[in-house]
């Protein structure tokens, strides 16, 4: 099983913290945030990792290397320029397995990722999106997904002005053939361009979780995840 981590965002809302370090390397509970994700994956015996990085990405590569120190195998795909989440995935195509889990490099969702990949296979769709009901515990991220009675995503609006039931939780699963929907060149957004196409084709299933996710997207959310990881998961960190 393969996990792909999107780690190329600029993290401008965290400046000045991210002015000289990539967002996934911001310290959280004593170690770079990305270590918490790697530990979560390694604990689930997911050891084939591909990290998609961009600006300042050499810091990630220098810290994690080939993954040996973390009991995983890590390969990298670095964007030559800002290509968006879809463009970054397209550039990594030679490294991707036929099916894989995709994780945003600024979010933390402690669920069993294999179950998400299993749903991809069971539903015979191109993609699966993990979604969370904000009414179970406010994440401070506005709900942006609606799910139909058939379990398929029926609406995705990144900056929704509508009253929707769920919020994307930062974990997805895809078939590699999904990359055929991404233009061959230029910047492309999974969120703004590819998700709507998958929904239109009835190829994006939802995986509903009751587990709240955390992210480091803003200073306020950074404080929340710091408290969560320091309180519950400090022993799982793996820095020397």
């Amino acid at each position: 099983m393969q996990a792909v981590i999107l780690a190329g965002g600029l993290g401008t809302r965290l400046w000045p913290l991210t002015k000289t370090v990539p967002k996934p390397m911001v310290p959280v509970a004593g170690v770079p945030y990305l270590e918490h994700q790697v530990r979560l994956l390694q604990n689930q015996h997911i050891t084939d990792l591909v990290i998609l990085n961009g600006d300042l990405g050499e810091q990630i590569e220098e810290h994690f290397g080939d993954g040996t120190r973390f009991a995983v195998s890590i390969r990298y795909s670095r964007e030559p320029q800002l290509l968006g989440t879809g463009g970054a995935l397209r550039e990594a195509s030679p490294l991707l397995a036929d099916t894989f889990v995709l994780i945003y490099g600024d979010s933390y969702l402690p669920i069993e990722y294999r179950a998400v990949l299993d749903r991809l296979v069971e539903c015979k769709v191109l993609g699966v999106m993990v979604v969370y009901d904000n009414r179970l515990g406010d994440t401070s991220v506005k709900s942006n997904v609606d799910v139909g009675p058939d379990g398929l995503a029926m609406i995705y609006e990144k900056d929704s002005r509508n009253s929707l039931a769920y919020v994307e939780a930062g974990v997805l699963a895809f078939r590699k053939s999904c990359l055929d929907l991404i233009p061959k060149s230029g910047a492309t957004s999974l969120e703004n361009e590819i998700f709507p196409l998958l929904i239109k084709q009835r190829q994006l299933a939802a995986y509903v979780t009751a587990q709240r996710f955390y992210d480091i997207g803003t200073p306020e959310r950074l404080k929340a995840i710091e408290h969560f990881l320091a309180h519950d998961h400090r022993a799982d960190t793996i820095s020397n």
Side-chain angles (χ1 to χ4, degrees), residues 186-206:
T188 304
S189 165
L190 289 175
E191 299 82 1
N192 294 330
E193 299 172 59
I194 305 306
F195 293 171
L197 280 177
L198 289 171
I199 289 171
K200 185 176 181 180
Q201 297 176 10
R202 297 179 56 78
Q203 287 292 317
L204 186 62

Side-chain angles (χ1 to χ4, degrees), residues 43-188:
N43 281 346
Q44 295 186 28
H45 307 290
I46 302 170
T47 58
D48 177 11
L49 310 185
V50 178
I51 296 179
L52 315 186
N53 58 22
D55 189 44
L56 303 175
E58 66 277 1
Q59 294 183 31
I60 296 175
E61 295 175 18
E62 289 170 4
H63 183 81
F64 289 94
D66 66 0
T68 300
R69 183 164 68 93
F70 303 89
V72 297
S73 172
I74 300 178
R75 292 172 293 167
Y76 301 91
S77 176
R78 192 188 301 185
E79 297 174 77
Q81 60 193 54
L82 288 176
L83 294 173
T85 50
L89 198 58
R90 178 190 65 228
E91 293 297 304
S93 178
L95 304 179
L96 301 181
D98 289 341
T99 60
F100 56 91
V101 170
L102 181 70
I103 307 167
Y104 287 90
D106 62 355
S107 64
Y108 189 87
L109 179 64
I111 63 171
E112 290 293 330
Y113 292 154
R114 188 168 297 279
V116 182
L117 200 63
D118 287 345
R119 180 154 176 78
L120 179 76
V121 175
E122 292 165 3
C123 292
K124 299 180 181 179
V125 291
L126 291 177
V128 170
M129 175 186 290
V130 179
V131 298
Y132 171 76
D133 188 337
N134 263 329
R135 293 172 297 184
L136 299 176
D138 188 15
T139 62
S140 82
V141 182
K142 191 171 182 180
S143 295
N144 54 15
V145 182
D146 218 352
V147 179
D150 56 3
L152 298 179
M154 29 183 315
I155 298 175
Y156 175 86
E157 297 175 350
K158 186 173 182 180
D159 299 307
S160 177
R161 297 182 181 179
N162 298 310
S163 178
L164 302 178
Y166 299 96
V167 59
E168 182 194 355
V171 175
L172 304 112
F174 288 114
R175 298 180 189 274
K176 185 176 180 179
S177 56
C178 187
L179 270 63
D180 293 340
L181 298 175
I182 301 174
K184 302 299 183 185
S185 62
T188 304

